[in-house]
């Protein structure tokens, strides 16, 4: 299952970076959907469901390093 969250600014001014999350079967890499996540067996390979999750964060700007601008 892939979930994409866009960049957004919260009411307090904090910026939440855009990020993607992905959940696949650990054994076969089958891309699971929301309904399949509640099952205890992978629909792709038939093995007990064990998830492999990854998160990708998109960085827009980097803070100054060592407190100064180079």
């Amino acid at each position: 299952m892939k979930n994409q969250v866009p960049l957004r600014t919260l009411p307090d001014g904090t910026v939440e970076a855009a990020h993607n999350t992905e959940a696949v079967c650990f054994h076969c890499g089958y891309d699971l959907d929301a309904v399949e996540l509640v099952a205890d067996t992978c629909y792709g390979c038939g093995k007990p469901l064990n998830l492999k999750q990854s998160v990708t964060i998109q960085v827009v700007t980097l803070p100054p390093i060592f407190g100064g601008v180079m």
Side-chain angles (χ1 to χ4, degrees):
M1 180 171 95
K2 296 178 183 176
N3 184 26
Q4 297 179 342
V5 178
L7 173 79
R8 65 181 181 164
T9 303
L10 302 176
D12 65 357
T14 304
V15 176
E16 182 179 90
H19 59 280
N20 302 322
T21 58
E22 181 178 16
V24 297
C25 174
F26 178 80
H27 302 288
C28 69
Y30 180 73
D31 187 12
L32 302 154
D33 65 20
V35 174
E36 295 168 330
L37 285 175
V38 297
D40 59 351
T41 333
C42 175
Y43 288 177
C45 65
K47 293 184 179 179
L49 189 58
N50 188 6
L51 294 179
K52 179 169 90 173
Q53 296 180 318
S54 64
V55 177
T56 306
I57 300 171
Q58 184 179 36
V59 178
V60 180
T61 59
L62 293 173
I65 299 174
F66 304 114
V69 178
M70 298 183 141

